[in-house]
Amino acid sequence: MAKNNSQLYPRIYKSVNRIPHGCVATYGQVAEMAGIPGHARLVGYALHNLPDGSTVPWHRVVNRNGRISLPPDSFSGSLQKALLESEGVVFDSNGAIISTSCRHALYRKNFR
DNA sequence: AAGTTGACGGATG
DNA sequence: TCATCCGCCAACT
């Protein structure tokens, strides 16, 4: 692997695309999948700059606490929660993920 | 060209 | 358990 160069964003988007419906992954996990372990921040940055019209399921990416990283009052934040709930993800009153409809062990984090 | 930022994570207090 | 600090480094200004 010669080129490490990158194009990190496409790589990150591709990884996020692998998250199955109803599942959630942490930024760290996405970074790891993208081959850049430890660079969770870059994942956040990449998603923050999502290209217009992308089909990336960005809403399936949450922080290590199993919580939505965006401000709850922000448009994207509430949208993310809504999208996740529509996929079978359950939140408690605290805004933390209690459970998901994900059947893949890989994405099952011990949230909460 | 150089400094700042950040959709994080982990360690520490 | 919660709050704060530090480190990682590409992208942005």
Side-chain angles (χ1 to χ4, degrees):
Chain A
M1 259 294 203
K3 286 174 115 199
N4 191 9
N5 250 321
S6 344
Q7 301 212 18
L8 259 359
Y9 279 26
R11 223 177 149 106
I12 290 169
Y13 300 146
K14 192 173 181 176
S15 297
V16 175
N17 269 318
R18 293 189 202 131
I19 305 175
H21 179 283
C23 299
V24 294
T26 66
Y27 293 93
Q29 269 234 307
V30 173
E32 197 176 343
M33 281 190 283
I36 50 172
H39 294 110
R41 308 180 67 144
L42 297 185
V43 175
Y45 205 91
L47 295 183
H48 176 62
N49 291 290
L50 261 181
D52 193 26
S54 70
T55 57
V56 177
W58 59 271
H59 55 277
R60 294 181 193 147
V61 186
V62 297
N63 65 22
R64 69 173 188 274
N65 301 307
R67 291 182 190 177
I68 293 177
S69 219
L70 294 149
D73 55 303
S74 93
F75 176 77
S76 297
S78 55
L79 174 63
Q80 178 169 15
K81 185 168 184 278
L83 288 170
L84 287 174
E85 288 179 325
S86 77
E87 294 189 354
V89 178
V90 183
F91 292 84
D92 66 8
S93 58
N94 200 29
I97 293 176
I98 298 175
S99 64
T100 71
S101 59
C102 185
R103 288 179 274 113
H104 294 247
L106 304 182
Y107 296 93
R108 295 220 72 247
K109 294 273 301 179
N110 292 334
F111 292 132
R112 187 181 169 242

